[in-house]
Amino acid sequence: MSPGMLKMWISIAGMALMFLAIITIYLSRYKLKGVFQVMTAIIAYIFLIVAGLTLLIVFLG
């Protein structure tokens, strides 16, 4: 697999993580309460950080 194709798949994975982060942030803010709200918010922000780092590595690499 060429380096360009590998970067493409990694960036698609980063975008998918951002989409998952959007969904989980929405769930945690508007649909859930209590412990589940905190757990989904933590998971969402972890998704967001990992996606940001992934896309940063792809764009700068």
Side-chain angles (χ1 to χ4, degrees):
M1 186 178 300
S2 69
M5 286 294 283
L6 186 61
K7 282 186 179 183
M8 180 196 74
W9 286 112
I10 293 172
S11 67
I12 289 173
M15 288 185 283
L17 281 173
M18 283 191 179
F19 182 72
L20 285 173
I22 291 169
I23 290 172
T24 52
I25 287 172
Y26 174 78
L27 285 174
S28 72
R29 287 192 178 176
Y30 299 113
K31 299 293 182 184
L32 299 174
K33 298 289 181 212
V35 176
F36 294 118
Q37 181 179 13
V38 173
M39 288 174 33
T40 55
I42 290 171
I43 291 169
Y45 287 113
I46 289 172
F47 283 161
L48 193 62
I49 290 168
V50 170
L53 290 174
T54 302
L55 293 178
L56 185 69
I57 289 169
V58 168
F59 291 147
L60 296 179

